[in-house]
Amino acid sequence: MSAPATQRSTAQVSVNSDVHEFDGPPHTNALDFLRGVGLTAAKEGCAEGECGACAIMVARPDADGSTRWTSINSCLLPAAALDGQEVITAEGLADGESVHPVQEEMAVRGGSQCGYCTPGFICSMAAEYYRPERADDAAEATADAGEHEHHCGPNGFDIHSLSGNLCRCTGYRPIRDAAYALGQPEPGDTIAQRRQNPAPASASTDIHRADTATGETGRFRRPSTLAEALDILASEPEVLVVAGATDWGVEVNIKGARAKSMLAIDRLPELRGIRRTPEYIELGAAHTLSELERELAGSIPLLGKLIPQFASRLIRNAATIGGNLGTGSPIGDTPPALLALDAQLVLTSAMGSRVVELAEYFTGYRQTVREAGELITAIRIPLPLAPMTSFQKIAKRRFDDISSVAIGYAVTVDGGIVTKARLGLGGVAATPLRATATEAQLEGSPWSLETVHAAAETLAAEGTPMDDHRASAKYRTAMLRSSLERFYAEQEAAR
């Protein structure tokens, strides 16, 4: 039985063109909300964003002011975060009696067996079907080339858009066949036409309701301005800050975590966007990884190498760069690359802003210099960028996995001599860290195999690796040693 609302406050969500009201406990995720209103196509498989059975499509703002249909994991996102937003589930893709082209191709090419994962695949596939750049990618592809470097098929379909969807019985070949058989949307396709108009503005939300499990008061707020968010933080330092909720959603689902009060900052305009100056490139902390990948378009090559290895497309569509840093995790993927880039963080409170070096940000296991009342509002990448960069992620799976070891490289060589070296490490200590001893050994030395072999031994001794279920300390040490030699081989091969 539902607990009575302590304050009448609801969220209005457009789902498949019908408006539904959400007034449940703030910890309720979008998947449970949708299934509660009878839309049961989306399923719970893993409850931590790894299987994609719960995928839905959400209308998100694109950089040009239009709408981009974006697939996300509904099992992680708080339902209250969809206040004022537009959602399409697998049930809403069909046009009257006519099935959607994605559904048609999945059926005729045998892309479904038990069907449990199929609606999630279809939503991820439909989001890629409506990707505006797909027609251009199709024009570049040829029948002889098959898949080019971005793994796009001859119709421009990026197969990595399905990297967060798992199937345990059909096999992936018929699913890929269905994806590559899709044409372009027809002129009368209403979902395609919807892209031409702006996405819904972020709603100012305040849901205050008892938690049905504990009976304690819960609250979800989405302020409309940064100033409002900072005022809340100043008066309630214990409030839980959430952005994409790809980390917090797992805590809620798997560990039963509950927050007395949540503050959503992912749509704050002051935390969004990319700004360029002669001195640095500034990344809004609430920009998602997918947005950064798309809008940077390779202008920061090291991030261009990192982002495709970060979890899955479904996760990157929701996860923010500021959120990945805010958790303080020693195995987050962005810190090693950002450390190699000499990144700085802009920390803002109601009292003002300050800039700190990322290398000085982490102070202990999931501990940082960020003070109560402060938010990460931006990440600054100093210019010029190093010409030689690489991101190496060692994990058990190629995609959608957590790093055992991650290393970011940014090296400058002038006249055969290393003039600057920055190496960021993850997974080998209680915090992400710079390999300062290795950097010092490289700088001023010839860029040669002999130098690299010597520095590799120093790198192997950096950090304090430990044994856990992902890797042993000896394995992590071995990976550090070999990574520098691998980086050297990569750079020499590219010359």
Side-chain angles (χ1 to χ4, degrees):
M1 177 180 291
S2 297
T6 56
Q7 175 178 317
R8 187 60 184 171
S9 178
T10 64
Q12 305 291 322
V13 188
S14 173
V15 186
N16 302 332
S17 299
D18 294 326
V19 176
H20 294 271
E21 184 178 275
F22 170 74
D23 66 349
H27 72 266
T28 306
N29 62 41
L31 174 63
D32 288 344
F33 161 63
L34 292 170
R35 294 182 64 81
V37 298
L39 298 169
T40 56
K43 309 293 195 300
E44 181 182 282
C46 65
E48 52 187 353
E50 291 193 357
C51 74
C54 65
I56 59 173
M57 291 167 56
V58 180
R60 294 295 194 211
D62 215 344
D64 62 359
S66 63
T67 289
R68 181 179 292 262
W69 289 109
T70 305
S71 55
I72 62 171
N73 293 112
S74 64
C75 76
L76 300 178
L77 186 71
L82 292 174
D83 188 18
Q85 302 302 295
E86 294 179 28
V87 174
I88 295 178
T89 68
E91 294 99 331
L93 288 170
D95 183 9
E97 297 298 320
S98 301
V99 298
H100 191 274
V102 168
Q103 297 168 323
E104 173 73 16
E105 293 298 341
M106 282 285 280
V108 301
R109 296 178 190 277
S112 176
Q113 189 166 318
C114 80
Y116 196 91
C117 68
T118 305
F121 265 101
I122 283 174
C123 283
S124 291
M125 198 177 291
E128 173 64 12
Y129 176 74
Y130 291 115
R131 181 171 62 92
E133 301 86 359
R134 189 168 68 88
D136 294 334
D137 289 342
E140 294 176 5
T142 65
D144 293 335
E147 299 181 17
H148 59 59
E149 58 178 323
H150 298 297
H151 295 269
C152 291
N155 61 347
F157 192 101
D158 182 358
I159 202 65
H160 284 175
S161 64
L162 306 180
S163 63
N165 294 87
L166 301 183
C167 176
R168 293 176 173 85
C169 55
T170 302
Y172 295 100
R173 179 58 183 269
I175 295 172
R176 190 183 74 162
D177 290 346
Y180 286 173
L182 291 166
Q184 296 298 322
E186 295 293 331
D189 189 319
T190 57
I191 300 176
Q193 292 172 344
R194 173 64 186 83
R195 298 178 304 183
Q196 307 309 312
N197 299 319
S202 178
S204 181
T205 305
D206 188 353
I207 291 181
H208 194 180
R209 200 179 196 282
D211 185 302
T212 55
T214 66
E216 297 177 355
T217 298
R219 194 173 188 181
F220 179 97
R221 277 170 288 181
R222 182 187 295 282
S224 56
T225 67
L226 175 59
E228 185 182 348
L230 295 176
D231 285 343
I232 294 172
L233 273 176
S235 60
E236 303 175 38
E238 74 283 358
V239 70
L240 176 75
V241 176
V242 294
T246 55
D247 189 68
W248 174 247
V250 177
E251 296 291 311
V252 171
N253 294 341
I254 303 300
K255 298 182 180 180
R258 299 289 183 265
K260 182 177 180 180
S261 181
M262 285 187 284
L263 180 66
I265 62 169
D266 55 310
R267 309 314 296 175
L268 289 175
E270 298 94 335
L271 273 61
R272 309 254 313 140
I274 298 172
R275 188 165 70 94
R276 290 175 169 84
T277 76
E279 292 78 30
Y280 55 78
I281 301 174
E282 185 173 276
L283 314 176
H287 238 44
T288 68
L289 276 297
S290 290
E291 288 170 331
L292 289 176
E293 181 180 29
R294 189 165 58 245
E295 295 171 28
L296 286 173
S299 58
I300 303 180
L302 181 49
L303 293 186
K305 297 167 184 175
L306 152 70
I307 294 175
Q309 300 181 62
F310 187 108
S312 67
R313 183 72 57 80
L314 281 167
I315 293 294
R316 296 197 298 271
N317 285 345
T320 64
I321 188 169
N324 195 239
L325 295 169
T327 65
S329 171
I331 51 174
D333 281 343
T334 64
L338 293 172
L339 284 167
L341 290 169
D342 274 334
Q344 301 171 320
L345 302 186
V346 181
L347 303 180
T348 305
S349 71
M351 303 299 293
S353 296
R354 62 185 177 121
V355 178
V356 301
E357 300 291 333
L358 181 61
E360 300 171 1
Y361 175 71
F362 303 102
T363 59
Y365 179 72
R366 291 189 179 270
Q367 297 177 335
T368 70
V369 300
R370 185 162 53 89
E371 298 176 353
E374 283 188 323
L375 285 177
I376 302 173
T377 53
I379 297 90
R380 291 179 179 174
I381 311 297
L383 297 174
L385 300 171
M388 296 165 53
T389 61
S390 179
F391 180 76
Q392 298 179 19
K393 177 173 179 172
I394 294 91
K396 292 183 178 180
R397 296 194 303 262
R398 185 177 179 188
F399 297 110
D400 201 10
D401 202 2
I402 296 173
S403 300
S404 298
V405 180
I407 310 105
Y409 288 95
V411 176
T412 301
V413 175
D414 188 5
I417 303 297
V418 179
T419 57
K420 184 176 180 180
R422 292 291 183 269
L423 284 69
L425 309 181
V428 295
T431 69
L433 73 157
R434 284 249 311 271
T436 52
T438 308
E439 293 171 359
Q441 185 169 350
L442 287 171
E443 291 179 352
S445 300
W447 180 242
S448 65
L449 191 57
E450 291 74 18
T451 295
V452 167
H453 281 322
E457 294 304 315
T458 302
L459 181 57
E462 302 262 22
T464 54
M466 60 180 288
D467 295 333
D468 62 20
H469 64 283
R470 293 189 185 92
S472 67
K474 288 183 178 180
Y475 179 80
R476 288 184 162 100
T477 297
M479 291 302 98
L480 286 177
R481 180 182 290 108
S482 64
S483 71
L484 185 57
E485 296 167 347
R486 176 182 170 188
F487 172 67
Y488 179 81
E490 288 175 351
Q491 300 306 313
E492 291 303 293
R495 292 176 61 177

